[in-house]
Amino acid sequence: MFQTLYSYFWWERLWLPANLTWADLEDRDGRVYAKASDLYITLPLALLFLVVRHLFETYVATPLAGLLNVKEKVRLKATPNAVLEKFYAATSKHPKQADVEMLSKKSGCTVRQVERWFRRRRNQDRPSLLKKFREASWRFTFYLIAFIAGMAVIVDSMLPSQYWYYMIELSFYWSLLFSIASDVKRKVGVPSPLSQCPCPVPRAPLTSRAPLTSCAPQSAKMFNYAGWRNTCNNIFIVFAAVFIITRLVILPFWIMHCTVFYPLDLYPAFFGYYFFNFMMVVLQSLHIFWAYLIIRMAQKFITGKVVEDERSDREETDNSEEEEEVAKNGPLSNGHPVLNNNHRKTD
């Protein structure tokens, strides 16, 4: 059965034009062709990336965070409570009011104490600011190097450089897949490795993938974690302009034009041709969706509203103690009760 599936998957009429066979792509006369088995090398390279990332985050990103004065907020830990912990792990991290009242009776805590416990417990699960900074630093460094290398590869007419560009980028995305469980989690988001798919025109995906637009968001995150709001906003302006020009103008009207029309001058359309261009259309649809989000954020920026990553998981403020003090003693001023001097004087 496996052999049958293997034969169907590598059926020549799926991936090659009618006038070509796999035998035509065998190495001969000094010409070397890419093979599917070459992808095996990306797995050990991905593991190497994980090792390099650990060393980078430990010996480069962490000291850099100190230089940029990236400070952690003091987090109050939730006191151990078996009843609340069981509900948190098995049912919901955000209990409804009816659940809070039920848990209050079961645990012997007040409703306010239960709400406070869940706030603190959720904050414990959120990644620290240093962890976010280290991850953004690692991705920014790789994307910057990949962008510079991509520009060099586009200029270089030698196929080996393009081959290794693909292998290294694919290895990097494998490493991100391996570390997805420990990386900073986002509420929503669609990854973009679709642009890594092979192409009948070798330089087309290189031009569309040279990851300049991936550098800007990561560097903006770094400066945001460091509290450099103006720098972060300026980077966002550059990112928005570059993204719209490259992904909504250059990619559809130059790159996709080449992949749709030029191959038909060499051979009739076949499944691989339609499959690749379908994937390019999916990628372009994602770009349009991302551009919509970027433009919406730009509108907020222009109108003076705060521009944030809408996927970010914000830390909740644990202000329940202050609320309790207000309930008991009235408004607070610098943490101390404000005396009410409006009482009526007696004669």
Side-chain angles (χ1 to χ4, degrees):
M1 181 179 178
F2 177 79
Q3 185 62 37
T4 302
L5 294 175
Y6 182 87
S7 301
Y8 277 118
F9 182 82
W10 292 110
W11 187 32
E12 292 173 340
R13 295 288 69 80
L14 283 179
W15 306 110
L16 299 176
N19 58 340
L20 286 179
T21 65
W22 292 119
D24 296 321
L25 299 181
E26 294 179 357
D27 299 344
R28 64 169 62 90
D29 301 328
R31 301 193 66 177
V32 179
Y33 294 92
K35 304 173 183 62
S37 58
D38 293 343
L39 296 177
Y40 292 144
I41 196 176
T42 61
L43 295 177
L45 285 177
L47 298 178
L48 178 61
F49 265 117
L50 293 176
V51 174
V52 174
R53 173 179 178 173
H54 174 73
L55 296 174
F56 176 87
E57 291 185 350
T58 302
Y59 297 105
V60 178
T62 300
L64 180 61
L67 291 175
L68 293 178
N69 201 29
V70 176
K71 294 182 179 180
E72 294 285 359
K73 292 183 179 179
V74 177
R75 291 183 177 180
L76 300 176
K77 292 185 178 181
T79 55
N81 189 303
V83 174
L84 301 182
E85 185 66 38
K86 182 179 180 181
F87 186 93
Y88 181 88
T91 306
S92 175
K93 298 180 180 180
H94 298 269
K96 298 179 181 178
Q97 187 61 34
D99 295 326
V100 171
E101 294 174 358
M102 178 269 294
L103 291 170
S104 173
K105 296 176 182 178
K106 284 187 176 182
S107 63
C109 301
T110 64
V111 170
R112 188 176 297 277
Q113 287 173 333
V114 172
E115 293 172 343
R116 182 197 308 165
W117 188 94
F118 273 91
R119 277 197 298 269
R120 292 181 178 179
R121 186 63 182 83
R122 287 192 295 267
N123 284 337
Q124 284 179 220
D125 284 349
R126 291 186 172 92
S128 66
L129 194 63
L130 178 59
K131 178 179 176 63
K132 293 179 180 179
F133 181 87
R134 287 166 50 161
E135 181 179 321
S137 300
W138 164 245
R139 297 194 183 203
F140 166 75
T141 301
F142 174 82
Y143 290 138
L144 179 61
I145 295 174
F147 168 69
I148 296 173
M151 294 298 99
V153 166
I154 290 175
V155 175
D156 186 12
S157 60
M158 301 299 292
L159 290 178
S161 63
Q162 299 175 16
Y163 167 86
W164 282 109
Y165 184 85
Y166 282 122
M167 293 298 103
I168 292 174
E169 279 242 339
L170 182 56
S171 302
F172 176 75
Y173 283 109
W174 272 120
S175 71
L176 293 185
L177 181 63
F178 294 155
S179 62
I180 192 171
S182 60
D183 284 346
V184 176
K185 296 176 177 59
R186 299 287 179 176
K187 292 182 179 179
V188 294
V190 184
S192 60
L194 283 174
S195 55
Q196 302 300 318
C197 52
C199 175
V201 183
R203 290 170 184 253
L206 282 175
T207 310
S208 67
R209 185 61 196 104
L212 176 61
T213 50
S214 298
C215 295
Q218 302 302 326
S219 60
K221 288 179 183 179
M222 293 169 59
F223 288 115
N224 181 47
Y225 299 147
W228 296 24
R229 296 298 303 173
N230 291 334
T231 303
C232 182
N233 290 338
N234 292 332
I235 292 175
F236 172 76
I237 295 173
V238 175
F239 161 71
V242 172
F243 185 94
I244 291 174
I245 293 172
T246 57
R247 304 305 173 94
L248 298 187
V249 179
I250 295 178
L251 179 60
F253 295 106
W254 178 22
I255 307 302
M256 293 183 66
H257 178 271
C258 294
T259 63
V260 171
F261 294 104
Y262 287 4
L264 297 180
D265 295 336
L266 303 175
Y267 40 74
F270 59 104
F271 173 80
Y273 165 84
Y274 291 116
F275 176 77
F276 170 78
N277 282 292
F278 171 75
M279 297 299 288
M280 292 292 285
V281 171
V282 172
L283 176 63
Q284 186 58 28
S285 300
L286 292 175
H287 288 159
I288 294 173
F289 171 70
W290 289 328
Y292 163 74
L293 297 180
I294 291 170
I295 293 173
R296 191 172 68 176
M297 293 176 68
Q299 290 177 338
K300 295 179 181 179
F301 176 77
I302 294 173
T303 56
K305 297 181 180 179
V306 177
V307 176
E308 297 184 56
D309 185 350
E310 296 186 354
R311 302 175 301 164
S312 62
D313 190 9
R314 300 178 184 87
E315 184 169 341
E316 297 173 82
T317 302
D318 188 7
N319 58 356
S320 56
E321 290 87 352
E322 183 173 322
E323 292 172 357
E324 289 179 352
E325 289 296 327
V326 171
K328 292 178 181 178
N329 304 318
L332 301 179
S333 176
N334 296 326
H336 300 284
V338 177
L339 297 178
N340 181 6
N341 293 322
N342 294 327
H343 57 279
R344 180 180 298 178
K345 296 182 180 179
T346 58
D347 295 334

